Amino acid sequence: MFVLKSLRNSILIGCFFNLILALTHWAGIVNSHMLINTNDILSSLIILLVLINAITLTHHPEINLSQRQQVWLLNFAALLIAFLTEWL
């Protein structure tokens, strides 16, 4: 359970920073290739964390359905944010 909680926190923090980086780029506040590369690396890291989170969730059958739904919703939102910030 501790692993899932720490993964959840890492995903949330990563999505927050990814959105901040993407918004500063979209607003034109910062226009550098280093920011774009950092955003791509952070998006890739979030995708990797979501995969680890999904694999960890499948190996713990004792987790009840409501917690599983919360984890899957978080994974879906994180993937959506990661792909959206890379695409735009």
Side-chain angles (χ1 to χ4, degrees):
M1 293 302 283
F2 177 74
V3 173
L4 286 175
K5 193 170 192 172
S6 63
L7 275 172
R8 188 187 98 208
N9 290 340
S10 299
I11 291 171
L12 287 173
I13 291 169
C15 284
F16 175 74
F17 283 127
N18 201 0
L19 281 174
I20 294 294
L21 287 173
L23 288 175
T24 56
H25 177 67
W26 293 333
I29 297 170
V30 178
N31 286 328
S32 72
H33 293 289
M34 186 172 174
L35 176 74
I36 295 169
N37 291 339
T38 305
N39 194 8
D40 290 342
I41 291 169
L42 191 56
S43 293
S44 301
L45 182 65
I46 289 172
I47 293 168
L48 181 67
L49 286 174
V50 166
L51 288 174
I52 292 170
N53 198 8
I55 290 169
T56 305
L57 185 66
T58 58
H59 291 302
H60 291 287
E62 68 273 1
I63 297 174
N64 59 12
L65 183 62
S66 64
Q67 287 177 335
R68 284 184 181 273
Q69 288 174 342
Q70 288 176 356
V71 170
W72 283 112
L73 185 63
L74 172 72
N75 287 347
F76 177 73
L79 285 176
L80 186 67
I81 289 171
F83 287 129
L84 245 162
T85 55
E86 277 190 25
W87 179 58
L88 298 174

